[in-house]
Amino acid sequence: MKYICGLVLCFIASTAVAQNICAPRADVVKRLWDRWQEVQISLAMVADGRLLEIFVSENGSWTAVISDPGGRSCVVSAGKDWTAIEPVTPKDKAL
């Protein structure tokens, strides 16, 4: 699982370099709401101290944002058709 998460974060980080869409966090959050009505649904600390946040709208659009401790946030990926699922443990799969 850690390996898969690492691969996802590497992909996200490389996408951030390509897109380079960065601004103060408050501005990014406001724009996500104003433009797509996206709200934060999850967050996680990245190993290097940055914050990974996922924003989603009711119509399924989503945006992944990485924020540094200084308050700078960068959109690292975005898409459509976000689907929330219930976590399934290996024990549940055996059934």
Side-chain angles (χ1 to χ4, degrees), residues 5-79:
C5 291
L7 288 176
V8 170
L9 291 176
C10 287
F11 173 75
I12 289 172
S14 66
T15 306
V17 173
Q19 292 181 349
N20 201 25
I21 302 169
C22 301
R25 184 182 180 281
D27 295 345
V28 171
V29 172
K30 183 177 182 333
R31 181 156 179 124
L32 292 175
W33 173 254
D34 290 348
R35 201 142 184 216
W36 296 283
Q37 293 72 54
E38 291 183 356
V39 296
Q40 182 191 60
I41 63 159
S42 62
L43 59 98
M45 291 299 295
V46 181
D48 64 4
R50 295 180 298 163
L51 183 68
L52 169 65
E53 301 173 272
I54 304 296
F55 293 81
V56 175
S57 72
E58 286 186 8
N59 70 9
S61 69
W62 62 270
T63 305
V65 175
I66 294 270
S67 299
D68 66 28
R72 180 174 172 235
S73 295
C74 298
V75 172
V76 293
S77 193

